[in-house]
Amino acid sequence: RCKELIEYNRLSFQPASVNMSKTFEAAVAQCLGTQWVQRASHKHRGGRNGQKGACYEDFFAAFKLAELLVQHIDAPPVDPPMMQQQAEAFVDDLQVTQPDAQEHHYYQCKNVASLSWGQGCGSVAGDFEAQARVSSHMGQGQFTTCLVVPDPGLRHLLTQTMPSTITSHSRVQV
């Protein structure tokens, strides 16, 4: 039945590719530099390797798929939403693109008891900043970055300590 609903609503779910595309690599190099190309490649490769046991990420993706199905069951959009796990992105666990609204939503799932934003290349905050720069560089219009954590207390702490450089496009959710 779910497959019928997905086909009826023309939702698209794309598996992760093995290598980054040249378009994404070039965009990162142009707007962030070669250090960030290496970071993106590392995240993409690590994401692919860790996907097999990433139950938390899979559950969240299934949850978002169910949300999209409910939103579009009665009025299918002209251009259906697309979802991709381990996307070509710095905030890469799940990307949801809604072409009708020209929106891109990036999710990073962290199933941990404690976490901090950090700073610079290799940190959560650095990845969120880099995603914003690449999204802007690629002309993505409206975009959001979201950190998904399992605990309301951790969500509150991360919301309170979110760096000002990412508050305009970022949020934390349970």
Side-chain angles (χ1 to χ4, degrees), residues 1-9:
R1 176 83 177 122
C2 282
K3 184 177 179 183
E4 292 170 3
L5 289 173
I6 290 170
E7 288 173 3
Y8 172 77
N9 283 296

Side-chain angles (χ1 to χ4, degrees), residues 101-106 131-132 134-144 169:
Q102 297 181 357
E103 294 176 356
H104 301 265
H105 305 282
Y106 297 91
Q131 185 59 56
V134 171
S135 291
S136 294
H137 181 81
M138 294 177 75
Q140 289 186 341
Q142 292 185 333
F143 61 88
T144 61
H169 58 81

Side-chain angles (χ1 to χ4, degrees), residues 106-172:
Y106 297 91
Y107 298 90
Q108 192 70 44
C109 300
K110 297 289 187 185
N111 191 12
V112 295
S114 66
L115 182 67
S116 66
W117 288 103
Q119 59 184 4
C121 187
S123 70
V124 176
D127 287 345
F128 276 51
E129 290 174 26
Q131 185 59 56
R133 290 181 63 188
V134 171
S135 291
S136 294
H137 181 81
M138 294 177 75
Q140 289 186 341
Q142 292 185 333
F143 61 88
T144 61
T145 52
C146 182
L147 182 59
V148 181
V149 296
D151 178 71
L154 183 56
R155 180 193 57 79
H156 179 74
L157 174 67
L158 290 165
T159 299
Q160 296 302 311
T161 60
M162 184 182 295
S164 60
T165 55
I166 63 172
T167 56
S168 66
H169 58 81
S170 299
R171 62 187 171 90
V172 184

